[in-house]
Amino acid sequence: MSNDAKDSGSGQQELTISGAQAHGFSSESLTVADVLRLPSMRGARLLAGTEGLDRAVEMSNVMEVPDILPWVKPGELLLTTAYPIRERPESLAGLLETLDQHGLAAIGIKTGRYLEQIPESALAAADSLGLPLIHLGEDVGFDEIMQEVLTGNLDRRAKVIARTEASMRELVDVVVGGGDLADVCRTLVQWTGVAAVVTTLDGRVRCLRTADEGTSPADVLGLKCFDRSGRFRVEDEPAGRSRHSEAVEELSWGNVVIEGGRRPAPETLPPTQSLGRIVAFGTQAMRAGDFRLLEQAAAAAALVITREQAITAVESKYRTDFVLEVLRGHIASTDRVLSHAHSLGWDLDRPISVAVAEVDSDADSTDARNKRTMQTLFADAWTKAVSQFDPSAAVVGSGDQVIVLLAAEPREKIIRRLEEFVSSVRGYGGGGRREFSVGISRPAEGVSRLAPAYQEAMRALEVGRRLARGQGLRHYDSLGVYRLLLQVGEQTELRNFAEEVLGPLATDAKDEYAGLRETLQKLLDHNLNVAETARALFFHYNTLRYRIGKLEQMVGPFTQDPDLRLSLALALQIVKLP
């Protein structure tokens, strides 16, 4: 049939059908446009509903009885002589709406015997619904059309099966041959034609490959499924669903979860572990066969990632054990430690600052199945951030803790340096968007001083976590009086002292106590200057005078007693201790 618009002879005009085939994902079923190209459709004309040409035709059926609706299935091509509506042709528009609700792919009508002309209302309804309405040729048989639709779909599905088997063989060769994620993506791109991406559990891109020509990596990362940092929005992109964007060549994409570990049955076995996502990009919407291909690629990616994790885990444990032994003071020979560190790419023969970053377990909502993956992501993010500044620094992960041994710098400079690292790791940096605190030691001269430096970093970490609610960054030299308080071995004695000095203010038994403690702290910070304190707290002068009176009733005449003020200052810091 011709692709040009032709006059039907009845005042209706045939709509143009494009024969172009987009490169990318393939369909398991014929589309309406494909059906119109079948030999049996000679003389057929598309009268309306051109926007539905890409609807999938799963099967065909004939409507020659009034009660056809219970038998209509989604994806059907319905063929009819209009016999059921011969006496009420004006009802065709309403029937089309009902058929569209049932998921009909298209309707083909043979006019002449029972229907002289298709009503304009039906054509308008078809256009509005995007439901293709086809005028069938007079000399075509329904059985011929049904046979060709069935044969065409079987042929398509046979090709999909062959493609799936071929892709599985290729992916098996990639894994068996020691290939990496880039090889998995490259194989997937050969089938999808545009791009493929492997991400981490939280959407950080681990590997991105595009076809040799056409779409660039920047084009892919510019799609709405990625945020401004290039992270795949796993929280907004459901697995197993085809998505679409008109921003870049009308690309479509779909993703599946990369799973590792054992299946959750039987109950005695641990559940599967999510290792990330694999995403494929093409110029057509993804269908069931494409997702099966994507699942195969995900299985291959899982094997590659699991293999890499096994190797990394052994190497990481080896490095971590070595660092922990040094930080525990188990040093048989300084020269041997320095030599071993050098073999690992670390320089410990210089002044070293120890930094410890630890995830706040109380605020961490990571699923237990993905705990280890998130710990690895956290350590990897720190390694990436630190190595850009100091390639010879040692960065190791131990559970929810990351230990960094890097070149020492003056206090203010090292704090700014760690703030940059924290900013890089948090949020867009790839650390898993988890809350954590950081403690920094004073410079350690020689490996024998690394053990006490580690303890300093841990103390700074503990104070920072308590004072900043799980997101603190503290240098040991900035702890002030906390350095002395932390030296007290019996923490119960400190708590008793605070309760004796502050009385009920040492607790949160009432909501107002926290506010009164803040008022007392601000007064001490401003040397009891009422005017300055009122401005700092945004209080009216008289309101602050009232609070001072209430505080003196609870803790004593601190405005007159300097020794009491010292005790109060210490007690307020003790209350903040972890």
Side-chain angles (χ1 to χ4, degrees):
M1 126 181 174
S2 173
N3 291 339
D4 298 324
K6 293 182 178 178
D7 184 38
S8 68
S10 60
Q12 299 157 355
Q13 194 171 44
E14 181 182 8
L15 301 180
T16 301
I17 303 168
S18 172
Q21 294 293 320
H23 182 59
F25 303 127
S26 62
S27 171
E28 292 186 31
S29 304
L30 297 172
T31 64
V32 176
D34 295 326
V35 170
L36 287 169
R37 299 186 192 99
L38 295 176
S40 61
M41 297 296 284
R42 57 190 176 276
R45 292 177 287 113
L46 179 65
L47 301 179
T50 184
E51 292 185 1
L53 285 175
D54 60 347
R55 293 192 182 199
V57 178
E58 303 287 345
M59 62 193 79
S60 55
N61 197 357
V62 177
M63 182 185 77
E64 299 294 32
V65 293
D67 61 342
I68 187 64
L69 289 178
W71 313 103
V72 174
K73 296 182 176 60
E76 278 189 339
L77 166 64
L78 197 58
L79 307 172
T80 182
T81 61
Y83 176 80
I85 58 171
R86 65 190 183 284
E87 297 178 356
R88 294 177 293 104
E90 69 279 358
S91 66
L92 180 56
L95 178 61
L96 292 180
E97 294 181 0
T98 305
L99 292 172
D100 184 67
Q101 293 173 1
H102 281 69
L104 193 73
I107 183 169
I109 301 178
K110 184 183 288 188
T111 61
R113 185 172 183 182
Y114 300 108
L115 186 66
E116 290 294 331
Q117 186 173 345
I118 297 175
E120 291 292 336
S121 59
L123 297 175
D127 277 330
S128 175
L129 297 169
L131 177 64
L133 194 158
I134 304 167
H135 183 278
L136 300 175
E138 294 296 331
D139 58 344
V140 65
F142 288 172
D143 58 340
E144 187 179 356
I145 297 174
M146 296 175 72
Q147 176 66 29
E148 289 187 358
V149 168
L150 176 62
T151 303
N153 278 335
L154 290 176
D155 182 61
R156 289 253 179 145
R157 286 162 190 170
K159 291 179 180 178
V160 169
I161 292 173
R163 183 190 72 163
T164 302
E165 292 178 349
S167 65
M168 176 59 77
R169 288 194 296 271
E170 288 188 30
L171 290 168
V172 169
D173 289 343
V174 167
V175 176
V176 173
D180 56 15
L181 292 177
D183 296 316
V184 173
C185 286
R186 193 175 296 110
T187 301
L188 190 56
V189 168
Q190 292 175 1
W191 293 99
T192 63
V194 176
V197 173
V198 173
T199 78
T200 61
L201 177 65
D202 63 337
R204 313 293 169 181
V205 174
R206 295 188 59 172
C207 179
L208 189 160
R209 287 293 180 273
T210 61
D212 294 336
E213 298 179 357
T215 307
S216 68
D219 290 332
V220 174
L221 295 176
L223 294 170
K224 63 182 180 181
C225 55
F226 293 93
D227 65 21
R228 61 185 177 87
S229 74
R231 184 184 68 85
F232 185 69
R233 301 178 186 271
V234 292
E235 65 277 9
D236 299 326
E237 293 292 328
R241 183 180 300 175
S242 183
R243 304 271 281 166
H244 174 75
S245 173
E246 297 180 357
V248 182
E249 298 181 359
E250 298 186 351
L251 288 182
S252 294
W253 63 88
N255 78 92
V256 298
V257 177
I258 302 173
E259 294 182 335
R262 298 177 176 178
R263 293 288 176 185
E267 295 180 357
T268 55
L269 298 179
T272 56
Q273 177 188 16
S274 176
L275 303 176
R277 300 284 185 97
I278 187 165
V279 195
F281 298 84
T283 54
Q284 294 181 2
M286 290 189 67
R287 303 182 186 276
D290 303 303
F291 278 108
R292 285 196 290 271
L293 172 62
L294 198 51
E295 287 170 355
Q296 290 179 348
L303 292 173
V304 172
I305 293 173
T306 302
R307 182 185 64 204
E308 292 176 350
Q309 285 182 341
I311 297 172
T312 301
V314 173
E315 295 177 347
S316 178
K317 186 177 187 307
Y318 179 71
R319 291 167 174 250
T320 301
D321 288 348
F322 168 67
V323 169
L324 291 177
E325 285 296 302
V326 172
L327 297 181
R328 289 170 184 149
H330 301 167
I331 301 174
S333 168
T334 298
D335 291 339
R336 184 175 298 175
V337 169
L338 294 176
S339 176
H340 191 74
H342 181 72
S343 69
L344 296 173
W346 301 337
D347 182 8
L348 301 184
D349 191 16
R350 56 180 177 169
I352 295 292
S353 287
V354 179
V356 180
E358 188 170 271
V359 173
D360 182 8
S361 58
D362 293 335
D364 188 26
S365 58
T366 302
D367 188 284
R369 293 178 299 172
N370 301 322
K371 189 79 170 179
R372 181 169 296 180
T373 299
M374 296 305 292
Q375 289 171 344
T376 301
L377 288 176
F378 188 55
D380 289 347
W382 272 99
T383 300
K384 181 179 179 181
V386 175
S387 63
Q388 293 176 352
F389 158 71
D390 185 359
S392 298
V395 184
V396 297
S398 178
D400 280 338
Q401 188 179 98
V402 171
I403 303 168
V404 182
L405 311 180
L406 74 163
E409 295 180 282
R411 187 179 76 178
E412 296 305 321
K413 193 170 183 180
I414 196 71
I415 289 176
R416 288 196 300 270
R417 185 79 62 192
L418 265 296
E419 287 174 344
E420 293 174 1
F421 294 161
V422 168
S423 177
S424 176
V425 171
R426 277 200 178 107
Y428 292 120
R433 294 173 289 169
R434 308 167 79 192
E435 292 187 2
F436 61 91
S437 297
V438 181
I440 314 167
S441 75
R442 293 179 293 190
E445 298 287 347
V447 293
S448 61
R449 295 294 306 163
L450 290 178
Y454 175 65
Q455 295 302 318
E456 291 174 357
M458 286 300 301
R459 287 173 180 168
L461 169 70
E462 292 168 3
V463 173
R465 175 188 291 133
R466 179 61 182 267
L467 298 183
R469 298 182 180 179
Q471 298 189 52
L473 189 153
R474 286 270 173 164
H475 192 285
Y476 184 75
D477 279 343
S478 67
L479 297 183
V481 70
Y482 291 113
R483 287 173 54 185
L484 296 177
L485 297 177
L486 288 170
Q487 297 296 329
V488 178
E490 185 56 58
Q491 296 295 303
T492 303
E493 186 62 29
L494 288 177
R495 177 59 60 179
N496 291 338
F497 173 78
E499 292 175 353
E500 289 175 6
V501 174
L502 293 173
L505 287 183
T507 70
D508 289 321
K510 293 184 178 181
D511 294 339
E512 65 173 334
Y513 289 166
L516 288 171
R517 287 198 303 270
E518 182 183 9
T519 300
L520 180 57
Q521 183 66 65
K522 290 293 184 182
L523 281 165
L524 296 175
D525 292 342
H526 291 86
N527 297 317
L528 302 184
N529 187 306
V530 179
E532 291 182 4
T533 304
R535 283 193 294 269
L537 292 171
F538 301 100
F539 283 170
H540 188 276
Y541 184 88
N542 291 335
T543 301
L544 183 58
R545 296 298 304 178
Y546 168 77
R547 285 205 165 201
I548 291 173
K550 189 171 185 178
L551 284 168
E552 288 197 316
Q553 291 177 5
M554 299 180 72
V555 301
F558 66 92
T559 58
Q560 306 297 325
D561 188 344
D563 292 334
L564 177 57
R565 290 199 294 272
L566 176 60
S567 296
L568 288 170
L570 289 173
L572 289 171
Q573 304 309 310
I574 292 171
V575 170
K576 298 177 184 178
L577 279 175

